[in-house]
Amino acid sequence: MADNPNSMPKFFQFRPPHVLAAPVNPADINTIQGVYPRKPAQLPAVGGNEGVAVVRQVGAKATNRFVPGQWVIPAAPMLGWWRTEMTVPADALIALDPLVPDGCPAAEALDLAQAATLTVNPTSAMRMLADYVDLDQAGMFVQNGANSGVGRAAIQIAKARGIASINVVRKRASPEADAALADELYALGASLVVTDEEAADARGMASKLRKVAGNEAEAKPQLGLNCVGGRSSVSLAKMLAHRGVLVTYGGMSKRPVTLPTGLLIFNDIEARGFWMTRWIESASSEAKHAMYAQLVAWMASRELTVEAQAYPFDTDGLAAALAALDGPYTPAKPLFVMPAAL
Amino acid sequence: MADNPNSMPKFFQFRPPHVLAAPVNPADINTIQGVYPRKPAQLPAVGGNEGVAVVRQVGAKATNRFVPGQWVIPAAPMLGWWRTEMTVPADALIALDPLVPDGCPAAEALDLAQAATLTVNPTSAMRMLADYVDLDQAGMFVQNGANSGVGRAAIQIAKARGIASINVVRKRASPEADAALADELYALGASLVVTDEEAADARGMASKLRKVAGNEAEAKPQLGLNCVGGRSSVSLAKMLAHRGVLVTYGGMSKRPVTLPTGLLIFNDIEARGFWMTRWIESASSEAKHAMYAQLVAWMASRELTVEAQAYPFDTDGLAAALAALDGPYTPAKPLFVMPAAL
C-alpha cells in the first residue's frame, strides 16, 4: 500500500511515515462518491482526508523540519490516509510534537483519536467561532447539529474561550434519549441544549437565552453555525442578534438554507458559508501553525476531547466502519487503527 | 392640514414650505397598516415618506441653509408628505437647488416626479450598487423585480456608471407583453432582460451572460439584488460569481430567501439585507449630500428618469392612487400633485 517514492521530486521527499490511525469521515465517503467539489489529483486514489502517522525516515532536504519518532498530521487535504505507509512532500505535513506545550512528545500528550481527527472537525469549529464575528466579550453562539463532530468541538472550544453555546439537536425517539444526549453535551460544556422543536418556539427560546445570559436584558447569539438547513436555519436566524451572522457548513437536511426576508432587511443579519478546504488553501503557514498550536494545547489539557470507535484496518474493519457511519447515531467517530499503532 | 408650529423648538423651526408633490409608495401603505418596523412618532400621523416642497418662509435660525423659492426634499423618513403645508426641523430637509449642476434652479432642471421620488427608490438602487461589491471594473449585476421603481433606477444608474445589468421580470400573460416590458427596460439601458422562467435555466443563462460580457470567459454577476425571494432568489444565487453577494431589499413573493447550501459553502456567496432607513439613520451628512448631488446630476441630465401618474390631492385622488397600486402593473408611480404646483 506504499506510494512509489520515485514519483516525487527528491527535494520534497519525505520517506515513509507509518500511519497510526485515520478516521472515516462523512466527507471521505462524499469524496469517493465523487460528489465533493475537490477530486483526487490522480486515480486510482487512496481515501481518507486526515490521520496521524509517525515519522520513520526523513528525506535529506526535510531534516530541518521533521525528526524520526515525531507524530505528523496533514497540512493538505486529499493525501489519502487509509493506508499504512505514505511518501508525501514535506509541505503536506505538520509535525505535532513541537506544538505540544512543555516539550512533551505528542504520543504522550494526545491520544490517537485526538491526533487523527485534528484537521477536519476542530479546525472547522475553531475557524467558524473566530473568523466571522468577534465573540470575545460575553459572546454567545447557536448551532444546530450540535452532536456532530464539529458541534462537539465547537462546544468545547467555546467553553475554553468563555463563550456560551446554544445547542440545537434533533428530537430523539424518547424523552429519555433526549435527556441522555443533552447530558452528554452538557458534560462537554454546553450552556444550553434544546431540541429542534424547542428551537422553533421563538418566545420560549428568548426566555431560555435570557437565563443563559444571566440577565433580563436582550441576550441573543451573534453567530449561528448551520449544518442542517431548511426549517432549522429559520430557527437559528430568528434567534440571532441584530447584525448576527449565520454560517453554513453543511446541509444534513438536504434542504436549502432558508432566511426570512425581514430578518435580512430589518435585523441586518448576514448569511455566509464556510469550507475548511478553502481556508487551508488560502491561509498562511503562520496562521495554520497558530491554529494547530492552540488546538493541540486544548487537546493536551483535555479541554478538547474526541470519542472514537477503533476498527482494524482490513476488509471487515472497513465494512464495519462504513456500517457505523450509516447506522444509528453514536458520538464515537469510526477510526482505523493501523498495525503500526498496535 | 398644517402642523402646529408651536409644538417644535423655535431654533429648529422651518416655517411652512408648500408641498408640491408626493408619491404613493407601497411602503407608505405598509406604514399605515402598521406592518413596517418604523412607526410614526405620534398619532394621528400624516402618511407619505417622500415628496418635494417649495420653501415659502424660513425660521430665523435656518436662514443660512434655506432660501425661499428653493425646492426641498426629506432628509428623514416619516415626515408625512401627504399634506399641503408642513413645518419641520431644518435638519429634516435637504435643499435641492444647491445640488443641481451649473447653478440651475431645481424647478427648471427636474420635473416634479423626479424630485418627489428621489429619496426612496433611486437612493436604494444607488446604495445597493455601491456598498456591497466593487462593481467599478467590468462589473455586472443581476436583479429580480427589475421593472419595480428600484429596479428601473438600478438599470439607469448602472448604465450611467458603465455597469451591465441582468434583469429578471415575471413572465407576462403573452409573449407580446413580455416583449413590450423588455423593450421598456432596454430603453432605460438594460443589458439583458429575461423572464423568471429563463432565469431558472442555469445553462441557458450562462450562455446569455457570456454574450452580454462579450467574451467566452467566465462572465458572472458579482452582485444580486433580490426583492422577490423564494425560487427567484435561488435563480439569482446560482448566477452569482464566486464570492458574489445577494442583497435582499424586499419580499414580493412572500416567501423566504432560499439559498442552496453548496453555493454558500463552495462558491462562498454571501446573503445580506438592505434597508434604506438604516442607511439614512447612520450615514453622515457628507455622505448623504454626495449621494443626492450625484442623483440630482443624473436626473438633471435625464440619465435617471421616473414615470409618474398624477392624481389630485383629494378623496377621489387618494382612492384612485390606491386602486392604481393594487391594480395591474404599470411603470407609472402614483403621484399626488398638490394645488401649490398647479
Side-chain angles (χ1 to χ4, degrees):
Chain A
M1 286 200 181
D3 271 356
N4 173 8
N6 296 323
S7 67
M8 291 195 188
K10 283 274 187 247
F11 51 91
F12 263 176
Q13 206 170 90
F14 179 74
R15 298 279 289 181
H18 287 230
V19 179
L20 300 174
V24 182
N25 285 312
D28 295 326
I29 308 305
N30 296 149
T31 303
I32 292 169
Q33 292 167 330
V35 298
Y36 201 66
R38 282 286 179 286
K39 316 293 179 205
Q42 54 184 39
L43 294 173
V46 179
N49 266 303
E50 61 175 353
V52 61
V54 61
V55 175
R56 299 294 189 205
Q57 190 183 347
V58 181
K61 296 287 171 71
T63 49
N64 60 335
R65 300 172 61 174
F66 298 100
V67 177
Q70 281 181 337
W71 278 12
V72 289
I73 60 169
M78 314 285 291
L79 294 177
W81 287 80
W82 296 349
R83 51 178 149 183
T84 55
E85 297 190 355
M86 60 199 310
T87 302
V88 298
D91 278 352
L93 295 172
I94 291 171
L96 273 186
D97 292 56
L99 300 178
V100 179
D102 305 326
C104 177
E108 289 176 25
L110 310 180
D111 64 38
L112 270 185
Q114 284 177 313
T117 62
L118 190 50
T119 52
V120 175
N121 290 342
T123 51
S124 295
M126 186 170 172
R127 293 263 60 89
M128 288 193 285
L129 289 174
D131 294 348
Y132 295 87
V133 165
D134 182 3
L135 283 172
D136 274 347
Q137 296 175 337
M140 183 190 282
F141 82 99
V142 60
Q143 63 175 343
N144 55 27
N147 54 328
S148 69
V150 172
R152 285 164 184 264
I155 291 170
Q156 296 176 81
I157 291 170
K159 177 152 195 274
R161 286 184 51 191
I163 298 165
S165 64
I166 311 302
N167 298 280
V168 182
V169 293
R170 253 182 306 182
K171 203 168 157 59
R172 311 276 129 185
S174 70
E176 293 73 26
D178 286 337
L181 177 56
D183 286 347
E184 258 184 52
L185 300 186
Y186 282 123
L188 292 176
S191 309
L192 180 69
V193 182
V194 294
T195 65
D196 45 8
E197 283 187 8
E198 291 172 305
D201 166 22
R203 183 170 297 196
M205 280 309 303
S207 155
K208 291 185 176 81
L209 293 176
R210 283 195 297 271
K211 275 184 199 143
V212 169
N215 62 52
E216 284 299 305
E218 187 182 51
K220 293 183 170 183
Q222 299 93 339
L223 177 69
L225 305 186
N226 167 47
C227 68
V228 177
R231 274 181 299 201
S232 182
S233 53
V234 177
S235 298
L236 260 53
K238 285 186 174 172
M239 273 181 235
L240 289 181
H242 188 80
R243 304 205 61 184
V245 180
L246 182 70
V247 180
T248 291
Y249 67 98
M252 280 166 42
S253 71
K254 312 266 184 207
R255 292 182 171 277
V257 175
T258 306
L259 296 165
T261 297
L263 297 180
L264 285 162
I265 299 177
F266 301 121
N267 290 12
D268 205 8
I269 70 165
E270 188 177 330
R272 303 285 302 272
F274 173 80
W275 187 25
M276 193 63 216
T277 301
R278 180 167 56 237
W279 191 88
I280 287 288
E281 288 175 351
S282 62
S284 69
S285 66
E286 290 72 25
K288 289 180 195 170
H289 187 275
M291 177 178 72
Y292 284 115
Q294 177 63 76
L295 289 173
V296 167
W298 281 327
M299 284 184 164
S301 62
R302 293 295 184 270
E303 289 172 279
L304 185 52
T305 61
V306 63
E307 277 188 67
Q309 172 67 50
Y311 293 91
F313 187 52
D314 56 25
T315 321
D316 290 346
L318 178 60
L322 293 181
L325 265 195
D326 273 344
Y329 166 76
T330 151
K333 185 171 283 293
L335 184 75
F336 288 133
V337 176
M338 310 303 184
L342 300 173
Chain B
M1 284 199 181
D3 273 356
N4 173 8
N6 297 321
S7 67
M8 291 194 185
K10 282 273 185 251
F11 52 90
F12 261 178
Q13 207 170 89
F14 181 72
R15 297 279 290 183
H18 286 230
V19 178
L20 299 174
V24 182
N25 284 311
D28 295 325
I29 309 303
N30 298 150
T31 303
I32 292 168
Q33 291 166 328
V35 299
Y36 201 68
R38 282 288 178 286
K39 313 296 178 204
Q42 56 184 40
L43 294 173
V46 178
N49 266 303
E50 63 176 351
V52 60
V54 60
V55 175
R56 297 294 187 205
Q57 187 181 349
V58 182
K61 296 291 173 68
T63 48
N64 60 333
R65 300 170 63 174
F66 297 100
V67 177
Q70 282 180 335
W71 278 12
V72 290
I73 60 168
M78 314 286 288
L79 294 179
W81 286 80
W82 295 350
R83 52 177 147 183
T84 53
E85 297 192 353
M86 62 200 309
T87 303
V88 298
D91 278 354
L93 295 173
I94 292 173
L96 272 185
D97 291 55
L99 301 178
V100 180
D102 304 325
C104 178
E108 288 175 26
L110 310 180
D111 64 39
L112 270 186
Q114 284 177 313
T117 61
L118 189 50
T119 53
V120 175
N121 290 341
T123 52
S124 295
M126 185 170 173
R127 293 263 60 89
M128 289 193 286
L129 288 174
D131 294 349
Y132 295 89
V133 165
D134 183 3
L135 284 172
D136 274 347
Q137 295 173 338
M140 183 190 284
F141 82 100
V142 59
Q143 63 175 345
N144 56 26
N147 54 329
S148 69
V150 172
R152 286 164 182 262
I155 291 169
Q156 296 176 81
I157 291 170
K159 177 150 196 274
R161 287 186 50 194
I163 299 164
S165 64
I166 311 303
N167 299 282
V168 183
V169 293
R170 253 182 307 183
K171 203 168 156 58
R172 312 274 126 185
S174 70
E176 293 72 26
D178 287 337
L181 177 55
D183 286 347
E184 259 183 52
L185 301 185
Y186 282 123
L188 292 177
S191 308
L192 180 68
V193 181
V194 295
T195 65
D196 44 6
E197 281 185 11
E198 291 172 304
D201 166 22
R203 182 168 300 195
M205 279 310 303
S207 155
K208 291 185 177 80
L209 292 177
R210 281 196 299 271
K211 273 185 203 146
V212 169
N215 61 53
E216 282 300 304
E218 186 182 52
K220 294 183 170 182
Q222 299 94 338
L223 176 69
L225 306 187
N226 166 47
C227 67
V228 177
R231 276 182 299 201
S232 182
S233 52
V234 176
S235 297
L236 259 54
K238 284 186 174 170
M239 274 180 233
L240 289 182
H242 188 82
R243 304 205 62 187
V245 180
L246 182 70
V247 179
T248 291
Y249 68 97
M252 278 166 41
S253 71
K254 312 268 185 204
R255 293 182 172 277
V257 175
T258 305
L259 297 165
T261 298
L263 295 181
L264 284 162
I265 298 176
F266 302 121
N267 289 13
D268 205 9
I269 70 164
E270 189 178 328
R272 301 287 302 274
F274 173 79
W275 187 24
M276 194 60 217
T277 301
R278 181 166 56 238
W279 192 88
I280 287 289
E281 288 175 351
S282 62
S284 69
S285 66
E286 289 73 24
K288 288 180 196 171
H289 186 275
M291 176 178 73
Y292 285 115
Q294 177 63 79
L295 289 173
V296 167
W298 281 327
M299 284 185 165
S301 63
R302 293 297 184 270
E303 290 172 278
L304 186 52
T305 60
V306 62
E307 278 189 65
Q309 172 65 51
Y311 293 91
F313 186 53
D314 57 24
T315 323
D316 289 346
L318 178 60
L322 294 180
L325 267 194
D326 274 344
Y329 166 75
T330 151
K333 185 171 282 295
L335 183 76
F336 289 132
V337 176
M338 310 305 183
L342 299 174

